[in-house]
């Protein structure tokens, strides 16, 4: 299947297309076009057609894209036709916000365990999960076969936590700590950085 | 200065270049190249040169870019050679995490006021700020001349809050609520969506 290497930047646009399609589905829409998608997203229609053509033929010239079909196909490409378990590390303010976030399941994820190193937090409930002692994280994550983690610990602890997760088999990390993680190339890391988003906007002010 | 319209997608990459340059500066580095930047960021060196050339001449062929100089120039382009005041709406888990985040000032922003509609929260301290009653938000924001907001309220309230902010003069909104905001075109909106980041990675698992 994946003999052709698709540029990361194209893969990175697929979740954005998927979200737009899901919004259209919620509005009861059935068909869209690369033009409409492009206008919604600020991406040229040619770019959208080119991106999607990397993965197959999803629309017909002149009739556009069937929205539920294209959404399903993008889910399959992104391996979102299943639910991914997430380990969350850090039960502070950000961890609590993540644990309480309702939007994971519908989009392919669920937080199944939370760890912290603060003895006052370990054993307490955070929404529907009990905070576990980070000392035992490696074994528990490995046994559960979890591949996806979210790190919401202080910057000084993030690298160490990330290394433990990788050793336990985690291969995708969404990092909320304001620090760049240095990990083996087979591990995907996304940094969740509010400043990058803010800085994108001041240009226009 | 801004007669030429620069595509949004290019402007959106500048904060990422700036962050990479700042990391290099922290490591004591003085000079870099579009090749090195490209390898760090997973963007082609040709794209980086093309992006930067939209704004001027920042490097010399063969000698590369002076890091502090280029960082300063990008800050000027993005209007980050000043500190932007931010109004934060919502004093729940996400709001508390934002209020406690230490990384704003170094990157051009500071949260100067927080509003909530929960009477139990109004009047209490959130880190160094006192939560104010959202009823008075419009006047206070307008008088302070604040242009940048972060919205961390439940999805059902986000659109109404955003409209109030826009009426008070806000022109850039970082929205943490899991909902698409519909606002006039002169208002920039960035959605902070953890799922988009997670979905970018599962393709590779």
């Amino acid at each position: 299947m994946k003999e052709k290497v698709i540029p990361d930047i194209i893969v990175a646009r697929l979740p954005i297309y998927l979200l737009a399609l899901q919004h259209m589905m919620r509005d009861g829409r059935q068909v869209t076009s690369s033009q409409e998608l492009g206008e919604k997203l600020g991406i040229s229609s040619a770019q959208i057609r080119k991106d999607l053509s990397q993965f197959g033929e999803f629309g017909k010239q002149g009739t556009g894209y069937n929205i539920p079909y294209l959404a399903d196909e993008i889910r399959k490409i992104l391996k979102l036709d299943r639910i991914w378990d997430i380990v969350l590390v850090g039960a502070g303010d950000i961890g609590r916000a993540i644990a309480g976030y309702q939007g994971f399941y519908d989009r392919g994820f669920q937080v199944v365990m939370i760890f912290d190193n603060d003895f006052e937090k370990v054993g307490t409930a955070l929404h529907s999960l009990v905070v576990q002692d980070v000392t035992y994280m490696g074994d528990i994550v490995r046994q559960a076969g979890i591949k996806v983690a979210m790190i919401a610990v202080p910057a000084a602890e993030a690298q160490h936590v990330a290394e433990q997760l990788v050793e336990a088999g985690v291969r995708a990390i969404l990092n909320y700590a304001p620090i760049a993680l240095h990990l083996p190339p087979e591990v995907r890391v996304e940094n969740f950085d509010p400043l990058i988003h803010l800085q994108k906007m001041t240009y226009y002010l």
Side-chain angles (χ1 to χ4, degrees), chain A residues 52-65:
Chain A
L52 293 176
S53 73
Q54 299 278 328
F55 302 96
E57 281 283 341
F58 303 114
K60 281 178 201 152
Q61 188 101 40
T63 60
Y65 299 109

Side-chain angles (χ1 to χ4, degrees), chain A residues 64-80:
Chain A
Y65 299 109
N66 178 291
I67 295 171
Y69 172 74
L70 181 57
D72 265 353
E73 291 298 310
I74 292 179
R75 262 193 227 99
K76 279 183 211 161
I77 294 165
L78 292 175
K79 304 202 190 109
L80 296 172

Side-chain angles (χ1 to χ4, degrees), chain A residues 53-122:
Chain A
S53 73
Q54 299 278 328
F55 302 96
E57 281 283 341
F58 303 114
K60 281 178 201 152
Q61 188 101 40
T63 60
Y65 299 109
N66 178 291
I67 295 171
Y69 172 74
L70 181 57
D72 265 353
E73 291 298 310
I74 292 179
R75 262 193 227 99
K76 279 183 211 161
I77 294 165
L78 292 175
K79 304 202 190 109
L80 296 172
D81 50 349
R82 49 164 288 185
I83 302 293
W84 291 90
D85 287 344
I86 294 176
V87 48
L88 167 61
V89 193
D93 290 332
I94 298 177
R96 194 162 38 229
I98 294 169
Y101 184 68
Q102 297 299 316
F104 283 113
Y105 199 85
D106 283 349
R107 295 169 68 191
F109 297 86
Q110 60 184 348
V111 177
V112 295
M113 48 183 79
I114 303 178
F115 293 91
D116 203 291
N117 65 357
D118 178 347
F119 288 136
E120 300 214 341
K121 286 176 185 150
V122 171

Side-chain angles (χ1 to χ4, degrees), chain A residues 13-184:
Chain A
R13 279 193 288 264
L14 294 185
I16 298 164
Y17 299 159
L18 180 58
L19 186 61
L21 293 168
Q22 284 169 328
H23 285 159
M24 291 175 180
M25 281 162 70
R26 233 168 278 163
D27 294 341
R29 302 276 313 281
Q30 274 292 323
V31 177
T32 187
S33 62
S34 54
Q35 283 75 15
E36 189 192 24
L37 273 171
E39 277 164 31
K40 263 187 191 298
L41 298 171
I43 299 171
S44 79
S45 58
Q47 183 72 64
I48 292 174
R49 287 194 300 274
K50 199 176 148 199
D51 286 357
L52 293 176
S53 73
Q54 299 278 328
F55 302 96
E57 281 283 341
F58 303 114
K60 281 178 201 152
Q61 188 101 40
T63 60
Y65 299 109
N66 178 291
I67 295 171
Y69 172 74
L70 181 57
D72 265 353
E73 291 298 310
I74 292 179
R75 262 193 227 99
K76 279 183 211 161
I77 294 165
L78 292 175
K79 304 202 190 109
L80 296 172
D81 50 349
R82 49 164 288 185
I83 302 293
W84 291 90
D85 287 344
I86 294 176
V87 48
L88 167 61
V89 193
D93 290 332
I94 298 177
R96 194 162 38 229
I98 294 169
Y101 184 68
Q102 297 299 316
F104 283 113
Y105 199 85
D106 283 349
R107 295 169 68 191
F109 297 86
Q110 60 184 348
V111 177
V112 295
M113 48 183 79
I114 303 178
F115 293 91
D116 203 291
N117 65 357
D118 178 347
F119 288 136
E120 300 214 341
K121 286 176 185 150
V122 171
T124 64
L126 208 57
H127 298 274
S128 62
L129 294 168
V130 173
V131 179
Q132 300 184 71
D133 183 346
V134 76
T135 312
Y136 309 109
M137 182 176 71
D139 288 341
I140 296 171
V141 168
R142 191 179 301 108
Q143 278 168 28
I146 296 178
K147 298 290 169 215
V148 183
M150 296 173 82
I151 295 182
V153 303
E157 297 167 27
Q159 178 67 29
H160 178 61
V161 163
E163 288 171 9
Q164 285 180 295
L165 288 168
V166 169
E167 211 183 298
V170 165
R171 289 296 173 266
I173 294 176
L174 178 47
N175 173 37
Y176 282 71
I179 190 178
L181 300 175
H182 299 284
L183 296 172

